[in-house]
Amino acid sequence: PLLWDVFAISPYFTVSLLFWYSGLIPDFATIRDRAKLKWRKLMYGLLAFGWTGSTKHWQRHESLSLVLAGLSTPLVLSVHTIVSFDFATSVVPGWHTTIFPPYLVAGAIFSGLAMVQTLLLVTRKVLALEDYITMEHIEVMNKVIVLTGSIVGIAYLTELFIAWYGQNPYENYAFMNNRLDLFSPYGWSYWLMMGCNVLSPQIFWFRKLRRNIVVTFFMSVIVNIGMWFERFVIIVTSIYRDYIPSSWAVYYRPTIWEVGFYLGTFGLFFTCYFLFSKFFPVIAIAEIKHILKKSGESYKKDMGKVENESVDQLYHEVHAAHH
């Protein structure tokens, strides 16, 4: 199964990287044309691959985007399905379950949106992007979070039901005793996961809370914590009491090296993200140019002024003609 991961993750990473980079090419050209410093003009010129904004370039760019979007969609499903097969093909109680593929796909969308919300709200505030990332965008994302959170909740309940219905004593013990029992050694982690991932997103049924920035940010962090505990529950509570009697005496405690690796992933991610925010546009300039031209607030204000001026002018003309 680990070999399947190589064939799932490698294309997924490659297509994601191409999709991300190709979307930035028109923006690199815009920055290249406006750059004052010579090194910036050279750097963005190399990154833009000679983009001129011609009709042919746009046609090819749109064709490429369509192909990559078409490839990305099944890859999103395949990569999380295959990762879940790593667990589902084993015989360990708590892992050997057929609900894993759709459950991990829904969980990936759920946690991914929560992570985007966390970064989006901070970036929006720091870079003053309120006119571009509007409250409507945030509200729609919160609606998807409550939907995917509910799907994940159904998956958790399905696992419990199958453990009871299947009458496998080992599977039943793994879920009913190791996880569901609050007083078992790791019962607290299961209930924390359920609270963060299933119960807390339900507050987004209320419009006022969906449109509250502070609540949205707090909830996105809560969901990220809950999804971390989901992985913790799947791995630790399934193998700390398994078929081997020696496992039962050990309570899992992470070593300093595990904690260091985990903190290192945070450091790597935020370093890359801050560098990206510093040198690259965080929102697609090319994509919103034509939208803002037709429906932006400044456009509406200008049109309002033009209409008012036209009405005033017409009034004065009629008034003068009358006299």
Side-chain angles (χ1 to χ4, degrees):
L2 292 176
L3 188 63
W4 304 343
D5 286 339
V6 176
F7 290 105
I9 295 167
S10 302
Y12 184 58
F13 175 75
T14 309
V15 170
S16 299
L17 198 65
L18 287 170
F19 204 11
W20 169 78
Y21 188 80
S22 63
L24 283 167
I25 288 173
D27 292 352
F28 288 147
T30 303
I31 301 168
R32 174 201 65 198
D33 297 339
R34 296 188 177 199
K36 299 285 190 287
L37 299 173
K38 193 175 180 181
W39 70 268
R40 285 195 172 186
K41 198 173 267 293
L42 181 65
M43 183 182 85
Y44 290 114
L46 289 170
L47 290 170
F49 281 131
W51 177 273
T52 60
S54 66
T55 306
K56 186 176 274 188
H57 281 186
W58 275 113
Q59 282 175 344
R60 286 177 176 173
H61 182 264
E62 284 172 15
S63 299
L64 176 67
S65 299
L66 194 66
V67 169
L68 290 174
L71 287 170
S72 298
T73 308
L75 281 172
V76 168
L77 299 174
S78 78
V79 75
H80 295 290
T81 302
I82 287 170
V83 167
S84 71
F85 285 164
D86 294 344
F87 294 98
T89 52
S90 72
V91 293
V92 177
W95 289 2
H96 187 71
T97 171
T98 51
I99 193 73
F100 263 3
Y103 154 25
L104 260 72
V105 170
I109 299 165
F110 178 54
S111 60
L113 277 168
M115 190 69 212
V116 168
Q117 285 280 53
T118 307
L119 297 169
L120 182 93
L121 294 171
V122 176
T123 308
R124 178 179 184 264
K125 183 71 178 171
V126 172
L127 299 179
L129 296 170
E130 285 86 358
D131 290 339
Y132 306 99
I133 303 165
T134 64
M135 192 53 73
E136 278 66 37
H137 295 122
I138 294 162
E139 185 184 7
V140 168
M141 285 178 71
N142 285 336
K143 285 178 180 177
V144 181
I145 285 172
V146 75
L147 170 68
T148 48
S150 302
I151 294 169
V152 167
I154 291 166
Y156 293 160
L157 295 175
T158 305
E159 279 189 320
L160 293 173
F161 173 75
I162 293 299
W164 167 79
Y165 187 74
Q167 290 298 301
N168 181 325
Y170 306 109
E171 198 78 19
N172 199 312
Y173 186 89
F175 282 94
M176 302 303 171
N177 294 68
N178 284 0
R179 298 185 187 181
L180 206 57
D181 182 4
L182 185 59
F183 299 103
S184 68
Y186 291 107
W188 58 271
S189 63
Y190 184 81
W191 287 103
L192 192 64
M193 174 193 80
M194 288 291 273
C196 292
N197 291 348
V198 183
L199 301 177
S200 61
Q202 303 307 319
I203 67 167
F204 285 144
W205 285 102
F206 302 100
R207 188 172 185 270
K208 195 173 180 181
L209 295 173
R210 277 201 308 269
R211 296 177 72 87
N212 187 307
I213 296 291
V214 176
V215 170
T216 299
F217 180 76
F218 180 70
M219 276 305 309
S220 69
V221 174
I222 291 288
V223 169
N224 287 320
I225 292 167
M227 289 306 289
W228 187 89
F229 271 102
E230 183 196 282
R231 270 59 175 170
F232 181 87
V233 166
I234 289 170
I235 294 165
V236 176
T237 63
S238 299
I239 57 176
Y240 92 108
R241 284 183 177 173
D242 56 13
Y243 296 118
I244 306 168
S246 60
S247 303
W248 286 55
V250 181
Y251 187 87
Y252 172 72
R253 286 181 181 82
T255 64
I256 190 171
W257 315 112
E258 287 173 294
V259 173
F261 268 118
Y262 184 60
L263 293 176
T265 61
F266 275 84
L268 178 64
F269 174 78
F270 281 110
T271 301
C272 292
Y273 185 73
F274 289 148
L275 286 170
F276 174 80
S277 304
K278 172 77 176 167
F279 294 107
F280 296 168
V282 291
I283 53 174
I285 303 166
E287 285 183 19
I288 64 165
K289 264 182 187 172
H290 66 283
I291 298 168
L292 287 178
K293 199 171 181 182
K294 294 174 186 174
S295 59
E297 291 302 318
S298 59
Y299 174 80
K300 288 175 185 173
K301 283 175 189 171
D302 292 342
M303 283 303 291
K305 283 178 189 172
V306 170
E307 284 170 9
N308 289 336
E309 285 167 9
S310 300
V311 169
D312 290 342
Q313 190 181 350
L314 185 65
Y315 172 76
H316 289 307
E317 284 173 5
V318 170
H319 195 64
H322 178 70
H323 282 299

